[in-house]
Each structure stands twice: as structure tokens, then as C-alpha cells.
Amino acid sequence: MSVPVSWVLSQSDLALLLVGGATGVDRELDLVLTTELEHPFPWLSGRELVLTTGIRLPPQPQQRAAYLRGLDECGVTAVGFGTGLTYEEVPPDLITAADEIGIPLFEVPLPTPFAAIVKRVTARLAELQHIALLRASRAQPRMTRALVRAGAPAVVRELATSLTATVLMLDPSGDVVAAHPGTPDDELLRTVRAAIATEPPGVASSVLTAPSGTTITHQRISVGPTTYGTLAVVGHAPLGPTDQILLGHANSLLALDFEKPARLQAAQNLLNSHALGLLLSSDTDLGPAWAQLTEAADAQGRIRVLVVDCDTEAAAEAVRAAITAAIIRAGQPLFMQSLNREVVVVLPGTPGTTVAHRIEIDTATSKLTRSGISDPHPVHDLITALANARLAASAAERGTAPAEFAPLAGRSLLSFDATRQALASIGDTVLGPLADHDRVCGTDLMTALRAFLEANGQWESAAAATGVHRHTLRKRISTAETLLGVDLDSARVRAELLLAMLARRA
């Protein structure tokens, strides 16, 4: 807390008279002290109002000017000169020096004790501190209620109103999530982004004064190692202690809003998954489910579907956990459904590919998965997007990044419906005995055969892809060969079977 020199001079009962340095009356002070030392400079820290009777003031005008200049260089706000004791009036050369320096110099008449000035300023500082704490105590509940009622933008609005400043909330990529008052212009946004970019590693908050004189105070919104964005306050002066408290409170509220309780997040994810399951399987009134799914769409109302085919249930479980973690890190709603060993996820249309590539799956699990992602579709084209993602996954290799459907269109045999349907029909007929054996006996001959076919009959590569010993794989392939009644030494047979398997899966 601080008070301007002009306020001290306005206390008429103190009868203070400004005699020099009028240009500095807006300077702020937060301490009043009395000193008669010749060299008080080592004991000064700045923003003081120094009161003196000039008992040890140097006799030469040049030395007196140097004394006043020394006080100014120490950050002293103003000087009160007591008259009627050592000096009957303030020395004219001291007044001239004060005008040159710009440090306020006022006369304290003999009837006004220094203690009266000290008490008056101290009482005012205490009053201002009380007002500030009262303002904070009223603003904090308003921000809390705003978060509950209207979310993060309302918190930004309340903070900007309380600080009488411009407040921006940016996401980790620097895009504006909320701002008040109004949308910032390009120049201000560039300035704020530059201030954030200069933040040293590991520092959660900092203050920067731009060349224009604007002060930018910004804090990282984070919980543990996860960063959700930055809260920036743009004003004409650095924030005071109470303003810092309000900024910290708003930051905490936003961090809590991002980091929802684990049980609430799990319940929301389960609801999303149920809605997705309805859309994929039911023909009843799906209006509420479609409305729920729109939360996964981007600003243009588009979605992508990511499909991950897993060779084992353990791999599917690991994939589900990795996808959940990636989606939560991205701050997006989770819409995920597991169908046997297939994991289906709905992502926003625009950043969906980026999110898909950020899913962290360990190498061993990755070798047991194939994944594909559709191109952007309107929300109601979910089934089409799912079919495209499945087709892309069927053409993908194990352990690689998700294959995108768009590059396949027009250049893949399986992208033609008639061809795919014909091959799928053949696949159902030819591969039926194998599928029946897996279903009845609980084996996994279909996965082993596909790995063998994709490895072009290379035992070591196929065994590594399926995670079994090559002798085990040989036995499974021999069983499959017997059930299908084919000769897998023939390249043509292998090619037809692989196409049939891809079409049947797609």
C-alpha cells in the first residue's frame, strides 16, 4: 500500500506548504521517517518521506544540492523540511535543486510536529490496506461463484473488473481462450505472447514492462507437471500485493476447473462412451446422444474417428489407458468405445491427427496394434468416419503411426465398395472355418495367419509381430493351413488370403 505526496499535502490541518519539485507530487510513498544524519543514504530503501530540520545540512549550496540529489537517487519520494528551529525558512538553493531534480520539497511549520505527519500517513496506509483486503474478500467469492455458474470466461471477467485491467487466458499453444474487456488487438496479443515466450524455464510467473510502458503480469495455469495455459494481466503499473492475491486466486480456480476430480472425469468418460455405443449400435431416438457427441467436434462441427486394432486383450487395455491419458492432457472430452479388441475413439476434426500422434504406447504393445484415422466428417457422418478409419487400420502396419484414410482414397483397391464387398464375401467363405475354430476353441489362428501373410511367409518377422516363438507360430499356421485346405507355400494363395482378410475386416 502507498499514498501519493499530493494526499499528504492535502491534509489542511497539517499546514504543509509545497515549495519545490512540484512535478513529483504524484510520487507514491509507503513510509515516513525522521533523520538528521549527514549521510543517511545507506539506511534508505526507497519510497520514503524523509523529515528533517536541517541540523546537519551542509553549509555550501552545492553540498546541499548533492544531499538532496543523493536522497532522490536512493528512491526517496519526498522531503519535508521543518522550519523555525535550525532554519527560519527553507533555503532557496535547496528549493532550486528540488525543482531541478523533480523531488517534492515542502515546508513543515514549527507548530506541526513530525509525529503528526507520521501518524497521519500510517493511519492512511492502514486504511488503504483494510480497503484492499475488503476488496479482495468480496472479489474472491464473486470469482468462485462465476466459475460455478459460467466457467473460465466468467472468472476472467471478474478478475479484469476487480483489477480494472485487461485480462487474457491463453491455452498452451498461445490461442486466446477468454479475454476481458473485449477481444485483444493483434499488437497486444503479440506483446503478451512475447512476454510469455521470454519466461525462463521452471518459472511459473513473471512481470514484464513493454517498451510502451504497459506492464504484463502472467502466471502459468498448471497442476503438477500438466500445464493448461497462461493467465495474463495487462495494465499501466505492476500489480500490488492485493492484486497479486486476486490473480493467484483466479489462477487456482482455473487450475481446479481444468483438473476436475478423478471420479467426476471417470464418470464423464463413461457417459461419453455409453453415448458413443448407442450411436454405433442403436436405431432408436438418438437425439440426446448426438447432442452429447457434438462436444467432441471442432469449431466447424467436424470429427475424426481413430480405430486401433489390438491382437490381445492386454494390448487393448494398455491402448485404452494411453488414449485416456492423451485426451485428458489435451483438455478434450473422451469418447471411447471398445468392441472386442478394437478401440474406437472420436476426436475433434481439426486437431484430431495431432492428438492421435501424441498417444504414448510402449513399443511392446505397439507391435500388437494397427491403427487408422478417418478424415474430418460432420458429427452425423460418424458411421462413415468409422468405416474409413477401419479401412485405414486394416491397411496399416503393426507398430506404426495411425494410417490416415485420406491418402488411401482412390489409390487403394479396398477403397472401392464393389471390390471390397466381393473380397469380403470370398473372405467370409474361405476364412469361415478358421473363424469358427477360433470362436469354438478359443484359439487365435486368424491373428497368426495375418501376421504370417503380412510378413510374406517370413517366420522370424511373423513370430516377432505376434509375440510368440517361431515353433509355436509354425504349429498355428500348419493348423490354419489344414482347416482352410490351402497351400500357403503359394504366393498367389497368400496374396488372395491377405486381401480377403483385409476386406473382411474393413
Side-chain angles (χ1 to χ4, degrees):
M1 297 294 105
S2 60
V3 297
V5 176
S6 57
W7 182 89
V8 181
L9 296 172
S10 69
Q11 306 304 297
S12 57
D13 58 318
L14 296 178
L16 306 176
L17 177 63
L18 181 69
V19 295
T23 58
V25 293
D26 291 330
R27 289 182 171 191
E28 301 277 334
L29 62 97
D30 51 26
L31 179 65
V32 182
L33 58 85
T34 301
T35 179
E36 303 295 349
L37 297 174
E38 290 183 58
H39 300 283
F41 316 119
W43 290 274
L44 299 172
S45 59
R47 297 174 66 88
E48 298 98 342
L49 165 58
V50 172
L51 303 176
T52 181
T53 62
I55 293 176
R56 301 202 176 176
L57 199 64
Q60 293 81 10
Q62 296 85 352
Q63 292 179 333
R64 285 201 287 260
Y67 171 81
L68 200 61
R69 189 169 287 104
L71 293 178
D72 183 66
E73 291 174 353
C74 289
V76 169
T77 299
V79 177
F81 197 93
T83 57
L85 293 174
T86 309
Y87 293 85
E88 290 301 319
E89 62 180 15
V90 181
D93 55 272
L94 207 60
I95 296 174
T96 301
D99 285 333
E100 293 175 354
I101 298 169
I103 184 171
L105 175 66
F106 58 83
E107 178 183 352
V108 183
L110 184 61
T112 302
F114 285 175
I117 301 174
V118 174
K119 289 181 180 179
R120 184 66 56 83
V121 173
T122 302
R124 177 58 177 169
L125 291 172
E127 180 185 13
L128 290 175
Q129 185 174 19
H130 174 72
I131 292 173
L133 291 176
L134 187 62
R135 177 169 66 92
S137 67
R138 290 172 177 172
Q140 287 176 327
R142 284 202 307 270
M143 283 192 282
T144 303
R145 289 193 296 270
L147 178 69
V148 173
R149 293 173 181 171
V155 175
V156 170
R157 183 179 64 250
E158 285 293 340
L159 180 62
T161 302
S162 299
L163 301 182
T164 317
T166 297
V167 177
L168 310 175
M169 184 173 72
L170 292 81
D171 65 16
S173 63
D175 293 333
V176 177
V177 176
H180 191 84
T183 304
D185 56 50
D186 292 340
E187 182 178 356
L188 175 58
L189 191 54
R190 282 194 298 270
T191 303
V192 172
R193 286 171 175 166
I196 296 172
T198 58
E199 183 178 280
V203 176
S205 64
S206 63
V207 181
L208 174 71
T209 301
S212 62
T214 300
T215 299
I216 301 172
T217 305
H218 55 93
Q219 290 187 359
R220 187 184 306 122
I221 305 172
S222 60
V223 178
T226 305
T227 297
Y228 297 105
T230 301
L231 191 60
V233 178
V234 183
H236 299 294
L239 298 183
T242 303
D243 296 336
Q244 290 280 5
I245 291 174
L246 291 177
L247 175 58
H249 181 68
N251 189 309
S252 298
L253 288 176
L254 293 172
L256 288 173
D257 187 50
F258 281 113
E259 190 80 1
K260 293 180 180 178
R263 285 183 296 177
L264 177 60
Q265 186 68 60
Q268 181 66 53
N269 294 343
L270 182 60
L271 174 63
N272 295 344
S273 295
H274 287 169
L276 180 58
L278 284 172
L279 297 174
L280 296 176
S281 62
S282 178
D283 58 356
T284 58
D285 179 13
L286 301 178
W290 286 117
Q292 181 77 10
L293 189 61
T294 58
E295 295 186 11
D298 60 15
Q300 289 73 42
R302 300 177 306 168
I303 59 171
R304 288 178 188 262
V305 173
L306 171 68
V307 168
V308 184
D309 277 333
C310 305
D311 292 344
T312 66
E313 183 55 44
E317 184 177 352
V319 167
R320 288 192 293 268
I323 290 174
T324 300
I327 298 298
I328 291 176
R329 281 197 305 271
Q332 297 172 349
L334 177 64
F335 286 83
M336 180 171 65
Q337 186 70 211
S338 291
L339 307 172
N340 299 322
R341 296 174 185 173
E342 177 188 71
V343 181
V344 177
V345 187
V346 177
L347 302 171
T350 301
T353 303
T354 303
V355 175
H357 283 81
R358 290 179 179 172
I359 298 172
E360 299 175 358
I361 304 175
D362 63 85
T363 304
T365 301
S366 178
K367 290 181 178 180
L368 300 176
T369 65
R370 295 181 182 82
S371 55
I373 188 168
S374 72
D375 46 357
H377 284 267
V379 171
H380 281 78
D381 283 352
L382 170 66
I383 301 303
T384 300
L386 174 61
N388 292 350
R390 281 174 169 165
L391 180 58
S394 70
E397 296 182 12
R398 283 187 176 87
T400 60
E404 297 186 41
F405 173 77
L408 296 177
R411 295 198 296 270
S412 172
L413 181 63
L414 292 177
S415 65
F416 294 100
D417 287 339
T419 304
R420 186 170 64 250
Q421 290 173 9
L423 288 172
S425 177
I426 295 172
D428 288 338
T429 302
V430 175
L431 298 171
L434 207 61
D436 292 341
H437 188 279
D438 282 346
R439 183 172 57 255
V440 174
C441 301
T443 54
D444 200 7
L445 299 181
M446 194 77 78
T447 298
L449 178 58
R450 178 166 175 172
F452 175 76
L453 295 175
E454 289 184 336
N456 197 25
Q458 300 297 316
W459 295 107
E460 293 293 342
S461 300
T466 54
V468 299
H469 194 275
R470 64 179 182 278
H471 295 319
T472 302
L473 181 66
R474 282 179 181 275
K475 183 177 180 180
R476 292 179 182 178
I477 297 302
S478 177
T479 303
E481 195 173 26
T482 300
L483 289 171
L484 297 177
V486 297
D487 179 10
L488 292 178
D489 289 334
S490 169
R492 175 176 292 182
V493 170
R494 293 199 303 270
E496 290 179 353
L497 283 176
L498 181 56
L499 279 174
M501 294 185 81
L502 293 177
R504 185 174 182 271
R505 182 63 191 86

